[in-house]
Amino acid sequence: MAEVLVYVDHVDGAVRKPTLELLTLARRIGEPVAVHLGAGADTAAPVLAEHGAVKVLTADAPEFAEYLVVPKVDAVAAAYKAVSPVAVLFPSSAEGKEIAARLAVRIGSGIITDAIDLEAGDEGPVATQSVFAAAFTTKSRVTTGTPVITVKPNSAAVEAAPAAGAVEQLEVSFGEQATGTKVVSRTPRESTGRPELTEAAIVVSGGRGINGAENFPVIEALADSLGGAVGASRAAVDAGWYPHTNQVGQTGKSVSPQLYIAAGISGAIQHRAGMQTSKTIVAINKDEEAPIFELVDYGVVGDLFDVVPQLTEEVKARKG
Amino acid sequence: MSLRIVVCVKYVPDATGDRHFAEDLTVDRDDVDGLLSELDEYAVEQALQIADEADDAEITVLTVGPEDAKDALRKALSMGADKAIHVEDDDLHGTDALGTSLVLAAAIEKAGFDLVVCGMASTDGSMGVLPAMLAERLGVPQATLLSEVSVADGKVTGRRDGDAASEQLEAALPAVISVTDQSGEARYPSFKGIMAAKKKPVESWDLEELEIEADAVGLEGAWTKVDEAAERPARTKGTIVEDEGEGGKQLAAFLAERKFI
Ligand SMILES: Cc1cc2nc3c(=O)[nH]c(=O)nc-3n(C[C@H](O)[C@H](O)[C@H](O)COP(=O)(O)OP(=O)(O)OC[C@H]3O[C@@H](n4cnc5c(N)ncnc54)[C@H](O)[C@@H]3O)c2cc1C
Ligand SMILES: Nc1ncnc2c1ncn2[C@@H]1O[C@H](COP(=O)(O)O)[C@@H](O)[C@H]1O
């Protein structure tokens, strides 16, 4: 059966959820072969096998951490040569997209980014995308070369599908460009203990209506009561009330949770671009004319400082 | 030696207007208002700041796009760029990211460069792949998605705020960089700038000048194909209640009904 390369996004071997979703999608097209670069292959391999990887190709070298992107392109290109896959899939992270972009140029293949679904088709994989701030849904194919496709988080269910997952060393020789951009230092993000924004099933976001960093705990308390992640509009981020890593929207994260709660957010097109594909949308805003209400399944016109704490209390009470 | 900066800017349909597809399923760029992609304003801004710091620098803004794309170049010139190059050719209609990167790379080489500055993504296609493709094609380092950048001693340094970590990057020139909307507000063109822009040179190049065959680009040369584009069905109008003291509880009841609690 045809093989599909799946690029593994991980932190020291802890496989991130979007990669497991990719394995689900890869199985619709062929047999997934995972490519794991950097440390932690021993930890990752059993997890990848459990979710359908027939093979795990691994390579570890200091270059992967010390230089930006290109060493990983060299490695994925080596995997591509070794396997001759029918498609190469990446998670739509900043890095995933850049590796995919360079690989596409290198192997002479078309590329599709930010797919939200993937199916097998008569003429190769068919990718569904959501474009123009989610106003349109398109179906596209790569017509030249081996399809290189990046897929957004939360595009498929994580499914167990045990496979062999045999670990094989990947021979990589780095090209001249590999050491072009040095990573001089790296400051890891502090963990908040909350779910990852792009992976969370529930996201609670605050906007300009929060009116100050000191009020964000109101949003955090609701998120914690629901076991969700915290998001913010760009207005809240630009004001310095919440970190940019939590920004939802065109120039922030794109999220697609089961439930999205927007409090004190007007719903500008650039914000919608990052949350419009959420399954259920709820908003709290004191302006009944706010465009966010055009999207909601349930909306409350009111002061968030009354509504959100009451909601949090009620959630806690109901959960007991 | 003067620092030669090329800024890649894109002319895009206005995001706040109605955007749609043409009959051939390419982005309709004819019947809509367009403008310089807001995210590329940040690229122009950083280029201007880098040029200010350099002893001697020249900024060329470059676009690949239809006739109207000149508007984007004018805007960048009125912000302070020195000259502009417009790559325009009927055969470019429908070109995909790979094709665009081929054309841009050829134009950048022809123009000559020490530093290429891009935006983080275009506001219409939003792929965020062009800068990496350009670096690959030009065979120079890529330092992308920078929220802070400076150039000195033949090197570019900057901060890249990633998902898992914030990284400090360093690369020797020539290089390709892209900057995010966290890099600092873009300036507004001054009246003087707008007047001056009218006199700045804008060159037009076609595919022949770049020695690119027509079948390598355009809709026919595209390596991807959109088979279907459907307007997303409008979300069915939800329930909207006025908070009269019980809004939070009502919302909780809705969440419970949907099994979120
Ligand atoms: C190129 C570009 C990229 C952008 N990218 C993004 C992006 O990624 N993400 C993003 O979010 N934005 C982005 N924006 C900005 C976007 O256009 C809006 O400016 C922004 O989303 C507004 O944030 P907001 O809704 O929090 O603020 P506002 O639009 O000011 O809305 C605040 C809302 O809070 C309500 N409110 C105030 N007080 C209360 C209260 N006590 N109780 C209840 N409601 C209250 C008000 O009625 C209002 O509706 C981008 C813009 C550009 C040009
Ligand atoms: N047609 C174009 N002409 C000039 N620059 C472009 C063009 N398309 C994309 N770019 C540049 O590449 C960046 C990323 O674009 P994209 O990969 O399309 O999201 C943009 O911010 C621009 O700097």
Side-chain angles (χ1 to χ4, degrees), chain A residues 98 102 106 109 134-135 137 139 141 143 177 181-182 184-187 189 234 251 276 279 299 301 310, chain B residues 42 98 136 139 142 144 160 164 166-168 170 181 223 225 227-228 230 232 235 239 241 243 245 248:
Chain A
E98 292 187 332
R102 297 187 71 131
R106 220 177 263 190
S109 289
T137 305
K139 287 194 192 292
R141 277 177 300 122
T143 50
Q177 293 304 318
T181 306
K182 189 161 178 49
V184 182
S185 66
R186 177 178 284 120
T187 318
R189 288 210 184 292
R234 173 158 150 191
T251 54
Q276 200 158 4
K279 309 294 175 298
V301 181
Q310 188 180 65
Chain B
Y42 295 94
L98 278 155
E136 177 74 27
Q142 82 167 71
T144 41
R160 170 168 162 127
S166 181
E167 295 165 330
Q168 200 64 37
E170 184 183 288
D181 62 338
W223 292 358
K225 188 170 184 311
D227 287 325
E228 275 175 56
R232 196 182 156 87
R235 292 186 84 101
T239 312
V241 299
D243 177 36

Side-chain angles (χ1 to χ4, degrees), chain B residues 3-22:
Chain B
L3 180 71
R4 294 164 303 167
I5 305 175
V6 177
V7 188
C8 298
V9 299
K10 190 175 185 186
Y11 177 78
V12 298
D14 188 349
T16 54
D18 226 355
R19 292 180 289 183
H20 38 257
F21 285 90

Side-chain angles (χ1 to χ4, degrees), chain A residues 41-103:
Chain A
D42 294 348
T43 320
V47 178
L48 297 167
E50 174 65 26
H51 293 88
V54 295
K55 240 189 281 178
V56 180
L57 303 177
T58 78
D60 192 7
E63 281 83 352
F64 294 128
E66 288 170 12
Y67 299 93
L68 194 72
V69 174
V70 189
K72 291 174 180 161
V73 181
D74 290 348
V76 180
Y80 171 82
K81 275 218 192 85
V83 171
S84 303
V86 291
V88 190
L89 308 184
F90 292 86
S92 274
S93 60
E95 188 183 66
K97 282 210 245 185
E98 292 187 332
I99 302 171
R102 297 187 71 131
L103 180 76

Side-chain angles (χ1 to χ4, degrees), chain B residues 8-10 39-40 62-65 100 104 117-122 125-131:
Chain B
C8 298
V9 299
K10 190 175 185 186
L39 293 175
D40 293 345
L62 166 66
T63 195
V64 173
T100 304
L104 279 174
V117 187
C118 295
M120 63 188 285
S122 48
S126 243
M127 293 178 75
V129 295
L130 248 292

Side-chain angles (χ1 to χ4, degrees), chain A residues 11 16 68-70 73 93-95 97-98 101-102 104-106 108-114 130-144 177 180-189 196 202 226 234 237-238 244-245 247 250-251 253 258-259 261 269-270 276-282 284 288 293-303 306-307 310-311 314-315 318-319, chain B residues 13 15-16 19-21 27-28 38-39 42 96-98 101 120 122-133 135-137 139-145 160-172 178 180-182 185 221-233 235-256 258 260-261:
Chain A
V11 181
R16 295 183 61 180
L68 194 72
V69 174
V70 189
V73 181
S93 60
E95 188 183 66
K97 282 210 245 185
E98 292 187 332
R102 297 187 71 131
V105 170
R106 220 177 263 190
S109 289
I111 175 172
I112 292 175
T113 54
D114 294 326
S130 176
V131 302
F132 296 161
F136 281 81
T137 305
T138 60
K139 287 194 192 292
S140 314
R141 277 177 300 122
V142 168
T143 50
T144 300
Q177 293 304 318
T181 306
K182 189 161 178 49
V183 179
V184 182
S185 66
R186 177 178 284 120
T187 318
R189 288 210 184 292
E196 185 67 36
I202 297 180
L226 291 163
R234 173 158 150 191
V237 170
D238 283 354
H244 179 252
T245 37
Q247 182 177 314
Q250 189 188 5
T251 54
K253 301 272 159 58
Q258 296 299 318
L259 171 64
I261 303 182
I269 183 89
Q270 296 90 353
Q276 200 158 4
T277 55
S278 305
K279 309 294 175 298
T280 296
I281 298 175
V282 166
I284 301 131
E288 62 178 333
F293 285 128
E294 290 161 20
L295 300 181
V296 298
D297 296 285
Y298 201 93
V300 179
V301 181
D303 192 321
D306 297 328
V307 178
Q310 188 180 65
L311 172 59
E314 190 67 17
V315 172
R318 282 177 185 254
K319 283 194 169 176
Chain B
T16 54
R19 292 180 289 183
H20 38 257
F21 285 90
V27 175
D28 189 345
E38 279 153 317
L39 293 175
Y42 295 94
D96 63 2
L98 278 155
S101 71
M120 63 188 285
S122 48
T123 56
D124 54 348
S126 243
M127 293 178 75
V129 295
L130 248 292
M133 286 179 176
E136 177 74 27
R137 289 195 191 274
V140 301
Q142 82 167 71
T144 41
L145 298 172
R160 170 168 162 127
D161 293 321
D163 277 352
S166 181
E167 295 165 330
Q168 200 64 37
L169 304 181
E170 184 183 288
S178 74
T180 73
D181 62 338
Q182 296 290 301
E185 276 308 301
W223 292 358
T224 45
K225 188 170 184 311
V226 179
D227 287 325
E228 275 175 56
E231 198 155 1
R232 196 182 156 87
R235 292 186 84 101
T236 42
K237 188 138 180 73
T239 312
I240 296 185
V241 299
E242 191 92 33
D243 177 36
E244 281 160 355
E246 299 281 297
K249 287 189 181 152
Q250 285 166 287
L251 197 43
F254 169 78
L255 296 182
R258 293 263 173 129
F260 290 115
I261 310 178

